[in-house]
Amino acid sequence: MKIADMNWFQVESYLKADDRVVLPLGSTEQHAYLSLCTDFILSNKLAVETGEGCGVPVYPGLPYGIAPYFSAYPGTVTIRPETYGDFVTDILNSLVKSGFRRVLIINGHGGNSPVEEIIRSRMATVPECQILFHNWWSSEDVMGAVHAVSPNASHASWMENFPWTRLERVSLPPREKAPCDPPNLRQLPPTEVRSLLGDGNYGGAYQADDDAMLSIWRTAVAETTKLLDTGWEN
Ligand SMILES: [Zn+2]
């Protein structure tokens, strides 16, 4: 259930029986021909579907993330890691103050990974708050489902092209793009990143069958549901 569909009385009543909560993290950044909000759309939708299935409240996803290396692409927004870490820490402290104790963070963007370390160190002084930080797209189950379709799959390729991230009236290149993901990519100046990546796809075809995409999605929902139900320490 979305927090947007609850009032405070309902949260208070929920907290008498359960203390789990879900917080999605996204990003607004270039995704080649797909929506700039792809990482936000995916983590938010996954959170809502998982939370609704488990009867656990889901907070609105954060639409922004850490993506300085994409800043030469118009439309990209990037937040400084410390600022982002502070912001998420304030959210977590608010959740603890409300009475939540187990927080599943569903992260939809690889560049947000520094946030995990920041919040873990800040929240170390609040041991009653248990945090699961789930990079949903890179899990074993989801990656297994993706690689069963094609191993050439990465940022802004077919693997992020769901009916809810593609844009109307945008035609996609019919060819498959060769992998283009040097290990030092995030350290390069943004203009170099753009000239290296071109359209922004890191490699792979631009679209797969929707049957395959829906199957990958169901894998992600099932895995995240299991984590929300059984991933806690006690
Ligand atoms: Zn993405």
Side-chain angles (χ1 to χ4, degrees), residues 177-196:
K177 189 174 176 182
C180 174
D181 185 8
N184 65 338
L185 186 82
R186 288 182 192 168
Q187 276 72 54
L188 297 175
T191 47
E192 268 183 54
V193 172
R194 181 169 166 171
S195 62
L196 194 74

Side-chain angles (χ1 to χ4, degrees), residues 23 25-26 62 64-67 78-94 105 107 111-124 131 133:
L23 174 67
L25 306 183
L62 271 56
Y64 305 117
I66 303 167
T78 185
I79 308 294
R80 284 162 291 166
E82 284 296 312
T83 306
Y84 203 60
D86 282 343
F87 194 77
V88 177
T89 301
D90 283 357
I91 294 173
L92 293 172
N93 279 315
S94 305
I105 293 180
N107 178 37
N112 289 345
S113 55
V115 163
E116 180 177 8
E117 203 180 321
I118 295 171
I119 59 173
R120 287 212 185 278
S121 82
R122 304 261 170 88
M123 296 306 287
I131 298 163
F133 196 97

